[in-house]
Amino acid sequence: MTAVLSGPELDLRAILRPGDRIVAGQACGEPTTLIEALIAQGAAIPDLALFIATSFSGLFTPAAAEAFRPGSMGAIGTLRALTKAHRLDVVPCHVGRVGPMIADGTLRCDVAFVQVAPADPDGTHSFGLISDHVLAAVRAARVVVAEVNDRVPRTEGERLPAREIDYAVTVSRDPVRVPPAPAGPLEQAIARNVAAFIEDGAVLQTGVGAVPDAVLRLLGDRRDLGVHSGMIGDGVVDLIEAGVLTDARKEIDAGVSITGALIGTDRLYRFADRNARLRMCTTDYTHDPAVLARLSRLVTINSAIEVDLTGQVNAEQSGSAYLGGTGGQVDFVRAGLRSPGGHAVIALPSTARGGAVSRITAALSGPVTTARSDVDVIVTEFGAAELAGRTLAERARRLVAVAHPDFRDELSRAAREIERRGF
């Protein structure tokens, strides 16, 4: 039987055990009331750990980490503050593997913290703003604690039966919002080079941020675009309402935009509420290679910290600073590369640190996130380097051409050495 509590009645000492491993809903589906309670009360329960894939709430500060041990698949969103303070346990993994690892116990889940909308008449709750691996966490957990928030939209997709909730905490508060990022001249230039690869009928996978948002704003003259993405933001609503994004030409899920996370503002949340045009899916559908292989004209857009002259992509770490994560990049890069008529685009500014450092490099300063054998197109504000099927020497020449002019002489010397050796 579900115990129904209000926020002030929540006493985690009656729910959690010493040594528990908690998995929480992420991004805008973060159950903030539960996280606040864990920060306030967790120090009284020994050896607690929590896994959250991303966070934009601002709750995960180094001081908050005194109450429990936080872990994630990367320094995404405001979790970066924890990596700077060396207070985040990073599990390098693909997004699509998190759910299976929870299911088989590799990633232990004793307690699931989830945010849901109020129950419908059939006694089930919508997961609202996040789908990805929350269902796997619910199925694996000894205890399911649901933050039932009447401001969360009821979205189409997997449902949580009320009988599977052990503790329901009723709240009425705005969920986490992530406004569209403003795009300056740099982001707009990158976006123009990315948009050149998006033709009528393309199916889009993209993230959120200044460049993805700027790309979407450039697509108003396209026809019958579709979406199959791990996440979407407010810009998708603009394209649907303009009649640009119809999903009409998709081989699967025709007429429906597929995503695993809504990361935006009230505009997106209101649009998604009870709207059959959007469907929230778990990562075993959004990121599954067999599903993605059924989509033609799939254009995937991802980011990077740096790219070396052979095409290796680092999206995780710059020297000793952990800045990103594996995410869903590899799943979607491989899918875009193999999709008939599709492309896999990695987009990044040509420099970092105010122009002091080139992000096109002779050698990476961190790990290889995406192998050069999987890379298709690298885009900066200076153009697009199409790498698929090219020799290492030709790749190096093309990447030098999209690097910042201040670094091209230095990079050209490294490129000539690649050409001399042939590898």
Tab-separated table of all heavy atoms in Angstrom, residues 45-106:
chain	number	residue	atom	x	y	z
A	45	ILE	N	22.165	9.151	7.706
A	45	ILE	CA	22.048	7.759	7.244
A	45	ILE	C	23.377	7.390	6.597
A	45	ILE	O	23.725	7.914	5.540
A	45	ILE	CB	20.894	7.608	6.240
A	45	ILE	CG1	19.602	8.190	6.819
A	45	ILE	CG2	20.700	6.144	5.852
A	45	ILE	CD1	18.499	8.370	5.806
A	46	PRO	N	24.147	6.502	7.171
A	46	PRO	CA	25.511	6.255	6.691
A	46	PRO	C	25.578	5.683	5.282
A	46	PRO	O	24.711	4.903	4.859
A	46	PRO	CB	26.061	5.234	7.708
A	46	PRO	CG	25.186	5.362	8.914
A	46	PRO	CD	23.834	5.734	8.391
A	47	ASP	N	26.607	6.098	4.555
A	47	ASP	CA	27.040	5.460	3.314
A	47	ASP	C	25.969	5.469	2.228
A	47	ASP	O	25.772	4.483	1.532
A	47	ASP	CB	27.488	4.021	3.600
A	47	ASP	CG	28.202	3.390	2.404
A	47	ASP	OD1	28.830	4.134	1.628
A	47	ASP	OD2	28.096	2.153	2.255
A	48	LEU	N	25.280	6.581	2.050
A	48	LEU	CA	24.316	6.692	0.953
A	48	LEU	C	25.035	7.145	-0.313
A	48	LEU	O	25.965	7.940	-0.270
A	48	LEU	CB	23.223	7.707	1.291
A	48	LEU	CG	22.264	7.373	2.427
A	48	LEU	CD1	21.273	8.519	2.613
A	48	LEU	CD2	21.520	6.067	2.153
A	49	ALA	N	24.568	6.649	-1.450
A	49	ALA	CA	25.072	7.103	-2.744
A	49	ALA	C	23.891	7.303	-3.678
A	49	ALA	O	22.881	6.600	-3.584
A	49	ALA	CB	26.053	6.095	-3.335
A	50	LEU	N	24.018	8.276	-4.565
A	50	LEU	CA	22.943	8.575	-5.510
A	50	LEU	C	23.519	8.722	-6.903
A	50	LEU	O	24.536	9.385	-7.103
A	50	LEU	CB	22.213	9.857	-5.104
A	50	LEU	CG	21.094	10.312	-6.066
A	50	LEU	CD1	19.866	10.768	-5.308
A	50	LEU	CD2	21.586	11.433	-6.986
A	51	PHE	N	22.852	8.109	-7.878
A	51	PHE	CA	23.224	8.235	-9.291
A	51	PHE	C	22.184	9.088	-9.993
A	51	PHE	O	20.986	8.805	-9.925
A	51	PHE	CB	23.301	6.857	-9.960
A	51	PHE	CG	23.686	6.913	-11.419
A	51	PHE	CD1	25.023	6.830	-11.795
A	51	PHE	CD2	22.722	7.053	-12.403
A	51	PHE	CE1	25.379	6.878	-13.134
A	51	PHE	CE2	23.065	7.107	-13.747
A	51	PHE	CZ	24.400	7.022	-14.112
A	52	ILE	N	22.642	10.143	-10.656
A	52	ILE	CA	21.764	10.976	-11.474
A	52	ILE	C	22.528	11.315	-12.751
A	52	ILE	O	23.682	11.737	-12.703
A	52	ILE	CB	21.308	12.238	-10.715
A	52	ILE	CG1	20.277	13.015	-11.538
A	52	ILE	CG2	22.482	13.104	-10.304
A	52	ILE	CD1	19.525	14.064	-10.730
A	53	ALA	N	21.893	11.104	-13.896
A	53	ALA	CA	22.622	11.218	-15.162
A	53	ALA	C	22.995	12.652	-15.497
A	53	ALA	O	24.114	12.945	-15.928
A	53	ALA	CB	21.797	10.602	-16.293
A	54	THR	N	22.056	13.588	-15.339
A	54	THR	CA	22.322	15.006	-15.539
A	54	THR	C	21.513	15.783	-14.517
A	54	THR	O	20.529	15.277	-13.968
A	54	THR	CB	21.922	15.496	-16.946
A	54	THR	OG1	20.497	15.398	-17.091
A	54	THR	CG2	22.584	14.687	-18.031
A	55	SER	N	21.903	17.030	-14.291
A	55	SER	CA	21.126	17.885	-13.398
A	55	SER	C	21.241	19.330	-13.850
A	55	SER	O	22.326	19.796	-14.208
A	55	SER	CB	21.612	17.761	-11.953
A	55	SER	OG	20.885	18.643	-11.111
A	56	PHE	N	20.109	20.021	-13.845
A	56	PHE	CA	20.067	21.453	-14.146
A	56	PHE	C	19.441	22.237	-12.998
A	56	PHE	O	19.173	23.429	-13.134
A	56	PHE	CB	19.265	21.704	-15.427
A	56	PHE	CG	19.808	20.994	-16.628
A	56	PHE	CD1	19.237	19.810	-17.081
A	56	PHE	CD2	20.900	21.504	-17.311
A	56	PHE	CE1	19.743	19.152	-18.192
A	56	PHE	CE2	21.413	20.848	-18.421
A	56	PHE	CZ	20.837	19.669	-18.871
A	57	SER	N	19.215	21.592	-11.864
A	57	SER	CA	18.498	22.230	-10.758
A	57	SER	C	19.366	23.168	-9.939
A	57	SER	O	18.853	24.049	-9.247
A	57	SER	CB	17.918	21.155	-9.829
A	57	SER	OG	18.965	20.456	-9.168
A	58	GLY	N	20.668	22.963	-9.952
A	58	GLY	CA	21.561	23.727	-9.097
A	58	GLY	C	21.653	23.193	-7.685
A	58	GLY	O	22.371	23.766	-6.847
A	59	LEU	N	20.965	22.092	-7.392
A	59	LEU	CA	20.984	21.541	-6.034
A	59	LEU	C	22.273	20.779	-5.734
A	59	LEU	O	22.669	20.649	-4.575
A	59	LEU	CB	19.785	20.609	-5.826
A	59	LEU	CG	18.404	21.270	-5.861
A	59	LEU	CD1	17.310	20.209	-5.773
A	59	LEU	CD2	18.259	22.273	-4.725
A	60	PHE	N	22.922	20.276	-6.768
A	60	PHE	CA	24.100	19.433	-6.547
A	60	PHE	C	25.358	20.304	-6.453
A	60	PHE	O	26.071	20.528	-7.423
A	60	PHE	CB	24.225	18.397	-7.668
A	60	PHE	CG	23.218	17.297	-7.569
A	60	PHE	CD1	21.959	17.450	-8.128
A	60	PHE	CD2	23.504	16.133	-6.884
A	60	PHE	CE1	21.015	16.449	-8.028
A	60	PHE	CE2	22.559	15.120	-6.778
A	60	PHE	CZ	21.311	15.285	-7.349
A	61	THR	N	25.596	20.781	-5.251
A	61	THR	CA	26.781	21.592	-4.962
A	61	THR	C	27.770	20.759	-4.162
A	61	THR	O	27.407	19.730	-3.574
A	61	THR	CB	26.384	22.826	-4.138
A	61	THR	OG1	25.886	22.387	-2.862
A	61	THR	CG2	25.315	23.644	-4.855
A	62	PRO	N	29.031	21.178	-4.108
A	62	PRO	CA	29.986	20.452	-3.263
A	62	PRO	C	29.531	20.343	-1.821
A	62	PRO	O	29.735	19.313	-1.164
A	62	PRO	CB	31.260	21.284	-3.407
A	62	PRO	CG	31.154	21.885	-4.767
A	62	PRO	CD	29.699	22.201	-4.942
A	63	ALA	N	28.873	21.380	-1.295
A	63	ALA	CA	28.385	21.322	0.084
A	63	ALA	C	27.290	20.274	0.232
A	63	ALA	O	27.228	19.550	1.227
A	63	ALA	CB	27.866	22.692	0.514
A	64	ALA	N	26.403	20.171	-0.777
A	64	ALA	CA	25.336	19.184	-0.722
A	64	ALA	C	25.884	17.762	-0.711
A	64	ALA	O	25.295	16.849	-0.111
A	64	ALA	CB	24.394	19.364	-1.915
A	65	ALA	N	27.025	17.570	-1.353
A	65	ALA	CA	27.613	16.237	-1.437
A	65	ALA	C	28.152	15.735	-0.106
A	65	ALA	O	28.599	14.589	-0.014
A	65	ALA	CB	28.734	16.236	-2.481
A	66	GLU	N	28.096	16.560	0.925
A	66	GLU	CA	28.474	16.096	2.260
A	66	GLU	C	27.472	15.077	2.796
A	66	GLU	O	27.797	14.261	3.657
A	66	GLU	CB	28.544	17.285	3.234
A	66	GLU	CG	29.562	18.355	2.868
A	66	GLU	CD	30.996	17.884	3.028
A	66	GLU	OE1	31.213	16.925	3.794
A	66	GLU	OE2	31.884	18.471	2.374
A	67	ALA	N	26.233	15.108	2.282
A	67	ALA	CA	25.165	14.269	2.826
A	67	ALA	C	25.077	12.899	2.161
A	67	ALA	O	24.436	11.993	2.700
A	67	ALA	CB	23.821	14.988	2.700
A	68	PHE	N	25.693	12.735	1.001
A	68	PHE	CA	25.645	11.463	0.270
A	68	PHE	C	26.722	11.514	-0.800
A	68	PHE	O	27.288	12.572	-1.082
A	68	PHE	CB	24.270	11.235	-0.371
A	68	PHE	CG	23.864	12.328	-1.324
A	68	PHE	CD1	24.136	12.237	-2.679
A	68	PHE	CD2	23.214	13.466	-0.863
A	68	PHE	CE1	23.775	13.255	-3.560
A	68	PHE	CE2	22.849	14.488	-1.723
A	68	PHE	CZ	23.135	14.389	-3.086
A	69	ARG	N	26.999	10.374	-1.409
A	69	ARG	CA	28.037	10.330	-2.443
A	69	ARG	C	27.364	10.375	-3.810
A	69	ARG	O	26.674	9.435	-4.193
A	69	ARG	CB	28.872	9.061	-2.292
A	69	ARG	CG	30.125	9.077	-3.145
A	69	ARG	CD	31.083	7.968	-2.759
A	69	ARG	NE	32.317	8.069	-3.512
A	69	ARG	CZ	33.370	8.787	-3.149
A	69	ARG	NH1	33.313	9.465	-2.022
A	69	ARG	NH2	34.454	8.823	-3.886
A	70	PRO	N	27.531	11.467	-4.559
A	70	PRO	CA	26.874	11.558	-5.864
A	70	PRO	C	27.680	10.885	-6.963
A	70	PRO	O	28.914	10.897	-6.953
A	70	PRO	CB	26.790	13.070	-6.101
A	70	PRO	CG	27.947	13.629	-5.332
A	70	PRO	CD	28.191	12.717	-4.174
A	71	GLY	N	26.962	10.304	-7.904
A	71	GLY	CA	27.588	9.687	-9.065
A	71	GLY	C	26.794	9.993	-10.308
A	71	GLY	O	25.604	10.312	-10.248
A	72	SER	N	27.461	9.905	-11.462
A	72	SER	CA	26.810	10.229	-12.725
A	72	SER	C	27.599	9.613	-13.863
A	72	SER	O	28.697	9.088	-13.671
A	72	SER	CB	26.725	11.747	-12.913
A	72	SER	OG	26.095	12.066	-14.142
A	73	MET	N	27.044	9.730	-15.069
A	73	MET	CA	27.772	9.294	-16.259
A	73	MET	C	28.592	10.440	-16.848
A	73	MET	O	29.261	10.272	-17.863
A	73	MET	CB	26.806	8.759	-17.316
A	73	MET	CG	25.810	9.773	-17.810
A	73	MET	SD	24.669	9.045	-18.985
A	73	MET	CE	23.738	10.520	-19.433
A	74	GLY	N	28.541	11.627	-16.223
A	74	GLY	CA	29.352	12.729	-16.718
A	74	GLY	C	29.070	14.023	-15.987
A	74	GLY	O	28.159	14.116	-15.150
A	75	ALA	N	29.857	15.033	-16.332
A	75	ALA	CA	29.723	16.350	-15.706
A	75	ALA	C	28.803	17.211	-16.565
A	75	ALA	O	29.216	18.194	-17.167
A	75	ALA	CB	31.090	17.001	-15.567
A	76	ILE	N	27.537	16.826	-16.598
A	76	ILE	CA	26.584	17.452	-17.508
A	76	ILE	C	25.670	18.372	-16.712
A	76	ILE	O	25.183	18.018	-15.638
A	76	ILE	CB	25.783	16.381	-18.265
A	76	ILE	CG1	26.757	15.431	-18.989
A	76	ILE	CG2	24.835	17.023	-19.278
A	76	ILE	CD1	26.124	14.196	-19.564
A	77	GLY	N	25.423	19.580	-17.254
A	77	GLY	CA	24.624	20.553	-16.527
A	77	GLY	C	25.389	21.083	-15.327
A	77	GLY	O	26.608	21.296	-15.365
A	78	THR	N	24.684	21.262	-14.229
A	78	THR	CA	25.319	21.826	-13.033
A	78	THR	C	26.142	20.803	-12.259
A	78	THR	O	26.757	21.147	-11.241
A	78	THR	CB	24.251	22.444	-12.105
A	78	THR	OG1	23.267	21.456	-11.790
A	78	THR	CG2	23.568	23.618	-12.776
A	79	LEU	N	26.194	19.556	-12.734
A	79	LEU	CA	27.064	18.570	-12.092
A	79	LEU	C	28.539	18.907	-12.274
A	79	LEU	O	29.395	18.369	-11.569
A	79	LEU	CB	26.792	17.168	-12.647
A	79	LEU	CG	25.414	16.567	-12.363
A	79	LEU	CD1	25.315	15.184	-12.983
A	79	LEU	CD2	25.140	16.501	-10.865
A	80	ARG	N	28.843	19.790	-13.219
A	80	ARG	CA	30.243	20.147	-13.452
A	80	ARG	C	30.897	20.736	-12.198
A	80	ARG	O	32.096	20.577	-11.969
A	80	ARG	CB	30.345	21.127	-14.618
A	80	ARG	CG	31.771	21.397	-15.062
A	80	ARG	CD	31.832	22.236	-16.310
A	80	ARG	NE	31.306	21.530	-17.471
A	80	ARG	CZ	31.321	22.034	-18.704
A	80	ARG	NH1	31.808	23.246	-18.918
A	80	ARG	NH2	30.834	21.335	-19.720
A	81	ALA	N	30.074	21.408	-11.376
A	81	ALA	CA	30.623	21.967	-10.135
A	81	ALA	C	31.159	20.866	-9.223
A	81	ALA	O	32.131	21.076	-8.485
A	81	ALA	CB	29.551	22.772	-9.406
A	82	LEU	N	30.540	19.689	-9.271
A	82	LEU	CA	31.003	18.581	-8.442
A	82	LEU	C	32.313	18.003	-8.950
A	82	LEU	O	33.171	17.602	-8.159
A	82	LEU	CB	29.939	17.490	-8.386
A	82	LEU	CG	28.624	17.838	-7.685
A	82	LEU	CD1	27.695	16.634	-7.682
A	82	LEU	CD2	28.877	18.306	-6.255
A	83	THR	N	32.479	17.929	-10.270
A	83	THR	CA	33.743	17.390	-10.780
A	83	THR	C	34.889	18.352	-10.485
A	83	THR	O	36.010	17.922	-10.202
A	83	THR	CB	33.671	17.100	-12.290
A	83	THR	OG1	33.382	18.303	-13.005
A	83	THR	CG2	32.624	16.061	-12.598
A	84	LYS	N	34.615	19.653	-10.536
A	84	LYS	CA	35.667	20.617	-10.211
A	84	LYS	C	36.125	20.469	-8.769
A	84	LYS	O	37.289	20.699	-8.444
A	84	LYS	CB	35.163	22.040	-10.464
A	84	LYS	CG	35.028	22.393	-11.944
A	84	LYS	CD	34.576	23.829	-12.114
A	84	LYS	CE	34.486	24.205	-13.588
A	84	LYS	NZ	34.020	25.604	-13.781
A	85	ALA	N	35.178	20.080	-7.908
A	85	ALA	CA	35.505	19.894	-6.490
A	85	ALA	C	35.907	18.444	-6.182
A	85	ALA	O	36.108	18.098	-5.016
A	85	ALA	CB	34.309	20.279	-5.630
A	86	HIS	N	35.996	17.610	-7.233
A	86	HIS	CA	36.361	16.197	-7.086
A	86	HIS	C	35.382	15.473	-6.156
A	86	HIS	O	35.772	14.635	-5.341
A	86	HIS	CB	37.802	16.065	-6.567
A	86	HIS	CG	38.792	16.846	-7.366
A	86	HIS	ND1	39.148	16.499	-8.650
A	86	HIS	CD2	39.482	17.985	-7.076
A	86	HIS	CE1	40.030	17.370	-9.113
A	86	HIS	NE2	40.245	18.282	-8.179
A	87	ARG	N	34.087	15.785	-6.321
A	87	ARG	CA	33.069	15.189	-5.471
A	87	ARG	C	32.058	14.374	-6.273
A	87	ARG	O	30.978	14.065	-5.771
A	87	ARG	CB	32.314	16.281	-4.685
A	87	ARG	CG	33.178	17.089	-3.729
A	87	ARG	CD	33.899	16.207	-2.705
A	87	ARG	NE	32.989	15.409	-1.936
A	87	ARG	CZ	32.435	15.791	-0.789
A	87	ARG	NH1	32.706	16.990	-0.306
A	87	ARG	NH2	31.631	14.987	-0.133
A	88	LEU	N	32.359	14.009	-7.513
A	88	LEU	CA	31.433	13.238	-8.343
A	88	LEU	C	32.106	11.960	-8.809
A	88	LEU	O	33.196	11.994	-9.380
A	88	LEU	CB	30.992	14.053	-9.558
A	88	LEU	CG	29.911	13.407	-10.441
A	88	LEU	CD1	28.564	13.419	-9.722
A	88	LEU	CD2	29.796	14.122	-11.781
A	89	ASP	N	31.460	10.814	-8.564
A	89	ASP	CA	31.944	9.543	-9.087
A	89	ASP	C	31.410	9.369	-10.504
A	89	ASP	O	30.205	9.229	-10.715
A	89	ASP	CB	31.447	8.386	-8.211
A	89	ASP	CG	32.123	8.354	-6.851
A	89	ASP	OD1	33.255	8.853	-6.744
A	89	ASP	OD2	31.502	7.844	-5.896
A	90	VAL	N	32.302	9.385	-11.494
A	90	VAL	CA	31.898	9.303	-12.889
A	90	VAL	C	31.949	7.849	-13.362
A	90	VAL	O	32.969	7.172	-13.200
A	90	VAL	CB	32.797	10.183	-13.777
A	90	VAL	CG1	32.427	10.010	-15.243
A	90	VAL	CG2	32.666	11.653	-13.365
A	91	VAL	N	30.836	7.393	-13.918
A	91	VAL	CA	30.740	6.065	-14.520
A	91	VAL	C	30.711	6.254	-16.031
A	91	VAL	O	29.686	6.667	-16.586
A	91	VAL	CB	29.464	5.326	-14.070
A	91	VAL	CG1	29.385	3.947	-14.721
A	91	VAL	CG2	29.407	5.216	-12.553
A	92	PRO	N	31.817	6.013	-16.735
A	92	PRO	CA	31.793	6.200	-18.193
A	92	PRO	C	30.914	5.137	-18.844
A	92	PRO	O	31.166	3.941	-18.723
A	92	PRO	CB	33.262	6.056	-18.598
A	92	PRO	CG	33.902	5.289	-17.495
A	92	PRO	CD	33.128	5.564	-16.244
A	93	CYS	N	29.849	5.588	-19.494
A	93	CYS	CA	28.947	4.638	-20.144
A	93	CYS	C	28.072	5.386	-21.140
A	93	CYS	O	27.872	6.592	-21.038
A	93	CYS	CB	28.068	3.912	-19.118
A	93	CYS	SG	26.973	4.979	-18.169
A	94	HIS	N	27.552	4.643	-22.087
A	94	HIS	CA	26.599	5.198	-23.042
A	94	HIS	C	25.227	5.311	-22.381
A	94	HIS	O	24.855	4.466	-21.554
A	94	HIS	CB	26.507	4.308	-24.276
A	94	HIS	CG	27.830	4.059	-24.936
A	94	HIS	ND1	28.577	5.075	-25.489
A	94	HIS	CD2	28.538	2.923	-25.124
A	94	HIS	CE1	29.691	4.568	-25.993
A	94	HIS	NE2	29.690	3.271	-25.779
A	95	VAL	N	24.476	6.337	-22.755
A	95	VAL	CA	23.130	6.516	-22.199
A	95	VAL	C	22.300	5.252	-22.350
A	95	VAL	O	21.590	4.838	-21.431
A	95	VAL	CB	22.426	7.703	-22.888
A	95	VAL	CG1	20.952	7.737	-22.518
A	95	VAL	CG2	23.073	9.011	-22.493
A	96	GLY	N	22.396	4.636	-23.512
A	96	GLY	CA	21.594	3.454	-23.768
A	96	GLY	C	21.935	2.263	-22.910
A	96	GLY	O	21.171	1.289	-22.861
A	97	ARG	N	23.062	2.310	-22.197
A	97	ARG	CA	23.461	1.198	-21.336
A	97	ARG	C	23.032	1.384	-19.887
A	97	ARG	O	23.104	0.443	-19.094
A	97	ARG	CB	24.989	1.037	-21.387
A	97	ARG	CG	25.504	0.418	-22.673
A	97	ARG	CD	25.084	-1.032	-22.817
A	97	ARG	NE	25.526	-1.817	-21.653
A	97	ARG	CZ	24.880	-2.878	-21.180
A	97	ARG	NH1	23.743	-3.272	-21.728
A	97	ARG	NH2	25.359	-3.544	-20.136
A	98	VAL	N	22.601	2.588	-19.497
A	98	VAL	CA	22.268	2.822	-18.095
A	98	VAL	C	21.104	1.932	-17.659
A	98	VAL	O	21.172	1.255	-16.622
A	98	VAL	CB	21.937	4.309	-17.842
A	98	VAL	CG1	21.485	4.515	-16.400
A	98	VAL	CG2	23.164	5.180	-18.133
A	99	GLY	N	20.012	1.917	-18.428
A	99	GLY	CA	18.864	1.083	-18.078
A	99	GLY	C	19.212	-0.392	-17.948
A	99	GLY	O	18.889	-1.026	-16.932
A	100	PRO	N	19.886	-0.994	-18.950
A	100	PRO	CA	20.287	-2.401	-18.816
A	100	PRO	C	21.204	-2.663	-17.629
A	100	PRO	O	21.097	-3.714	-16.982
A	100	PRO	CB	20.992	-2.686	-20.149
A	100	PRO	CG	20.361	-1.748	-21.116
A	100	PRO	CD	20.094	-0.503	-20.331
A	101	MET	N	22.105	-1.730	-17.310
A	101	MET	CA	22.986	-1.945	-16.162
A	101	MET	C	22.217	-1.869	-14.843
A	101	MET	O	22.552	-2.582	-13.889
A	101	MET	CB	24.124	-0.926	-16.175
A	101	MET	CG	25.163	-1.198	-17.241
A	101	MET	SD	26.729	-0.284	-16.995
A	101	MET	CE	26.157	1.404	-17.097
A	102	ILE	N	21.194	-1.041	-14.785
A	102	ILE	CA	20.328	-1.045	-13.605
A	102	ILE	C	19.571	-2.360	-13.517
A	102	ILE	O	19.470	-2.973	-12.447
A	102	ILE	CB	19.345	0.147	-13.654
A	102	ILE	CG1	20.094	1.478	-13.490
A	102	ILE	CG2	18.280	0.008	-12.577
A	102	ILE	CD1	19.236	2.699	-13.735
A	103	ALA	N	19.060	-2.812	-14.647
A	103	ALA	CA	18.250	-4.037	-14.663
A	103	ALA	C	19.047	-5.261	-14.235
A	103	ALA	O	18.517	-6.138	-13.526
A	103	ALA	CB	17.656	-4.240	-16.055
A	104	ASP	N	20.320	-5.353	-14.645
A	104	ASP	CA	21.090	-6.559	-14.308
A	104	ASP	C	21.913	-6.405	-13.026
A	104	ASP	O	22.656	-7.312	-12.647
A	104	ASP	CB	21.982	-6.988	-15.484
A	104	ASP	CG	23.129	-6.028	-15.794
A	104	ASP	OD1	23.471	-5.185	-14.943
A	104	ASP	OD2	23.687	-6.121	-16.911
A	105	GLY	N	21.795	-5.257	-12.373
A	105	GLY	CA	22.474	-5.063	-11.096
A	105	GLY	C	23.878	-4.518	-11.189
A	105	GLY	O	24.513	-4.268	-10.148
A	106	THR	N	24.387	-4.324	-12.401
A	106	THR	CA	25.710	-3.730	-12.538
A	106	THR	C	25.739	-2.339	-11.914
A	106	THR	O	26.703	-1.953	-11.239
A	106	THR	CB	26.112	-3.656	-14.022
A	106	THR	OG1	26.093	-4.970	-14.579
A	106	THR	CG2	27.494	-3.051	-14.190
